[in-house]
Amino acid sequence: MKICIFWHRRDLRFHDNAGLAAALESGLPVVPLFIYDSDILDYLPDKADARLTYIFDEVERLAAATAAAGGAFLARYGKPVNVLEALLKEFEVAAVHTNEDYEPYATRRDAEVSRLLAQHGVDFLLYKDQVIFAKDEIMTKSGTVPKVFGAYHKTYLARLTDEMLLPYGSAEAFVKANLAAPNAHEAGQRPTLESMGFERKVQYVPTADLPEEDVVRNYHHTRNTPALQNGTARISVQLRFGTLSVRQVMRQAKALNPKLLAEISWRDFFMMLLWHFPGTATEAYDPKMRHVPYRNNEDEFRAWCEGRTGYPLVDAGMRELNATGYLPNRVRMTVAGFLVKHLFIDWRWGEQYFADKLLDYELANNVGNWQWMAGTGAVSAPWFRVYSPESQLAQVDPDMTYVKRWVPEVDTPAYPAPVVDHKFARDRAVEAIRAARIAASL
Ligand SMILES: Cc1cc2nc3c(=O)[nH]c(=O)nc-3n(C[C@H](O)[C@H](O)[C@H](O)COP(=O)(O)OP(=O)(O)OC[C@H]3O[C@@H](n4cnc5c(N)ncnc54)[C@H](O)[C@@H]3O)c2cc1C
């Protein structure tokens, strides 16, 4: 029996799923698939990883829903191209449908998969699902890649229609569909965390429901107050793994709060930039910023990681990140700015630390924001801007509610003195970067 495979990647949901809807419309029995990619899992530093646990639980949830609808969900562990090659031998596969992924690794992987499937005469069909505008759909009037967020967002708003945000009826189609049940023992073949060499680790992630309407309505007032638990939408993990669809959250934001809509469109923007400039995952976009003589002091880096810098807002943020895998955007900016300007440590050290710790870690957003803070990116804060962590504290947490939650000893002698003086550090960074930029222009 001919089947088609729907390969889930960053879209762990049946509802409002562009690629799944297309697979179901093809008329062939559909087999959903998830691949635990050994090329990615081998690099996870910790055997107890909350992100992998989240993925595993979501895959098992989808598998149970597939069984309830009379089908079988395939989950395999290995290199995607090898897993797919093995599946071509097990089943008569007519097509593989999947949603686009714009990261450098993903585009290489998909090119390899596309070659394999072409050799076997199997269609490989990709759909836009993860963003509203992808790749080169928004360019400047002169046809170049937009590098000013304001102008990009203006075009974004002008082109955004309600029709674009309509949900795909994939979940409804799924329960009525002709699903293939290829093998009665399939359930037993799905990998477990243990069989992949991992342990279970659960960290709190809000449910994959839309944020409450009040949270969205008040977002522009509350987003910069880290003491509030519900000051922001808390949807980044769900967008990262696709348990929420971006169309769903955009519909709500479009109806209730333009500021939230703008913030979500930063995600499209950074994914677009990384797709155009894949090298920026590891290198400054601005050539003049590629030879900045960062100090990279390891003791100071450790003090930053552990929340022992003597700057209360920085320390509270790093302790929250270490304890929960989450940090509100405003505090991410404070801790990142402090690392790259005050401690004058290479942004890539911080980017890597965030990659290890954040539950919502996402290459395009992480690199884009780190390069923004370091002044090295295609879009950036000016390289000479050095925010004072003390003034930031006075603005966002004046009564120290947030700080005291994470740094209870802040007002006692046990709390360390500042690791570096703000004014001294600011002048040191600005002078060193200025000299590096002059040298790079010679
Ligand atoms: C140094 C640094 C590193 C970051 N690393 C990541 C990362 O790895 N993964 C990640 O998803 N976000 C990252 N962000 C962006 C942002 O901080 C988080 O998306 C946000 O804090 C998540 O919480 P929320 O869902 O409550 O956000 P809200 O403020 O409620 O925003 C809603 C959604 O809009 C998007 N968004 C908001 N702000 C940004 C932004 N500055 N850039 C891109 N998208 C944005 C996110 O998808 C977010 O979930 C980073 C920001 C900084 C300054």
Side-chain angles (χ1 to χ4, degrees):
M1 182 178 59
K2 274 193 185 257
I3 60 155
C4 74
I5 288 178
F6 177 71
W7 179 15
H8 287 270
R9 287 111 63 105
R10 289 169 160 239
D11 50 355
L12 298 178
R13 66 179 191 284
F14 291 151
H15 67 273
D16 193 10
N17 185 321
L20 179 60
L24 291 165
E25 273 167 23
S26 74
L28 289 171
V30 176
V31 178
L33 163 73
F34 183 79
I35 302 174
Y36 292 97
D37 186 340
S38 53
D39 280 342
I40 297 174
L41 298 191
D42 288 353
Y43 289 97
L44 288 182
D46 203 335
K47 289 295 152 201
D49 189 291
R51 295 163 295 193
L52 181 62
T53 305
Y54 181 79
I55 292 173
F56 177 79
D57 288 347
E58 292 303 315
V59 166
E60 288 299 303
R61 185 180 55 78
L62 294 180
T66 311
F73 191 102
L74 305 184
R76 298 285 155 90
Y77 168 84
K79 274 172 84 70
V81 71
N82 297 344
V83 169
L84 286 162
E85 192 161 25
L87 290 175
L88 296 185
K89 296 198 181 105
E90 274 180 61
F91 305 111
E92 206 183 324
V93 181
V96 175
H97 299 255
T98 199
N99 288 318
E100 287 175 345
D101 187 337
Y102 310 102
E103 284 187 5
Y105 166 74
T107 49
R108 280 198 305 278
R109 174 199 60 202
D110 287 354
E112 205 184 341
V113 165
S114 172
R115 279 194 297 277
L116 167 82
L117 296 179
Q119 279 160 17
H120 290 80
V122 175
D123 291 334
F124 187 43
L125 302 156
L126 293 113
Y127 306 86
K128 179 176 68 170
D129 178 78
Q130 202 185 135
V131 289
I132 308 295
F133 293 102
K135 303 196 262 195
D136 49 11
E137 287 184 326
I138 294 185
M139 300 292 273
T140 64
K141 283 204 183 81
S142 51
T144 57
V145 180
K147 293 188 206 98
V148 179
F149 177 75
Y152 169 88
H153 187 60
K154 208 169 153 204
T155 312
Y156 193 105
L157 286 180
R159 302 253 298 271
L160 184 68
T161 63
D162 289 338
E163 286 67 42
M164 285 176 186
L165 303 181
L166 287 176
Y168 289 89
S170 41
E172 298 76 3
F174 192 80
V175 288
K176 291 193 220 124
N178 174 12
L179 299 172
N183 181 337
H185 304 295
E186 229 10 277
Q189 290 192 22
R190 289 198 303 274
T192 59
L193 288 171
E194 293 70 29
S195 74
M196 294 185 283
F198 285 88
E199 290 161 29
R200 196 171 173 79
K201 177 176 178 185
V202 177
Q203 276 185 310
Y204 171 73
V205 175
T207 57
D209 297 317
L210 286 174
E212 285 180 16
E213 289 201 353
D214 278 352
V215 171
V216 175
R217 277 186 218 282
N218 294 327
Y219 177 77
H220 53 299
H221 294 306
T222 53
R223 61 191 286 265
N224 288 326
T225 307
L228 294 172
Q229 307 279 8
N230 280 331
T232 62
R234 292 300 305 262
I235 50 177
S236 49
V237 182
Q238 301 87 321
L239 286 175
R240 166 67 184 84
F241 297 110
T243 48
L244 273 174
S245 105
V246 69
R247 288 172 295 279
Q248 237 181 320
V249 299
M250 271 295 191
R251 275 198 302 280
Q252 189 193 40
K254 189 163 183 283
L256 300 179
N257 198 320
K259 182 65 187 164
L260 181 61
L261 191 157
E263 291 305 305
I264 303 171
S265 72
W266 272 100
R267 181 176 165 274
D268 281 24
F269 184 61
F270 281 134
M271 287 192 189
M272 176 279 294
L273 284 177
L274 187 62
W275 184 79
H276 282 287
F277 307 115
T280 59
T282 51
E283 187 176 55
Y285 170 84
D286 180 351
K288 286 193 192 143
M289 297 296 279
R290 289 190 189 148
H291 301 288
V292 172
Y294 291 114
R295 293 172 60 249
N296 295 344
N297 179 305
E298 295 200 7
D299 290 339
E300 291 180 6
F301 181 64
R302 254 190 309 281
W304 178 81
C305 294
E306 292 167 10
R308 293 186 285 103
T309 67
Y311 281 95
L313 188 57
V314 175
D315 293 341
M318 294 310 291
R319 293 186 199 188
E320 179 179 17
L321 174 65
N322 292 333
T324 67
Y326 178 76
L327 200 55
N329 184 63
R330 184 62 193 250
V331 188
R332 290 187 203 203
M333 292 173 71
T334 303
V335 301
F338 187 82
L339 184 81
V340 294
K341 299 283 174 66
H342 291 82
L343 299 184
F344 207 35
I345 288 178
D346 194 322
W347 62 270
R348 288 171 288 203
W349 290 34
E351 197 273 333
Q352 183 57 51
Y353 191 76
F354 269 31
D356 291 344
K357 295 284 171 189
L358 279 175
L359 292 178
D360 64 23
Y361 163 63
E362 205 284 321
L363 184 70
N365 280 346
N366 204 39
V367 159
N369 279 288
W370 273 97
Q371 291 228 29
W372 197 91
M373 290 309 303
T376 56
V379 284
S380 275
W383 60 266
F384 46 81
R385 183 148 304 156
V386 182
Y387 296 99
S388 148
E390 290 300 336
S391 340
Q392 304 233 356
L393 174 64
Q395 274 171 30
V396 305
D397 193 33
D399 55 9
M400 307 254 275
T401 309
Y402 173 72
V403 162
K404 284 183 185 153
R405 190 179 301 150
W406 295 106
V407 191
E409 81 282 17
V410 68
D411 289 329
T412 73
Y415 188 61
V419 63
V420 67
D421 172 68
H422 164 64
K423 196 172 164 318
F424 166 79
R426 183 191 62 200
D427 295 346
R428 176 175 67 185
V430 169
E431 285 319 311
I433 299 174
R434 192 191 308 281
R437 291 177 64 87
I438 292 170
S441 325
L442 294 177

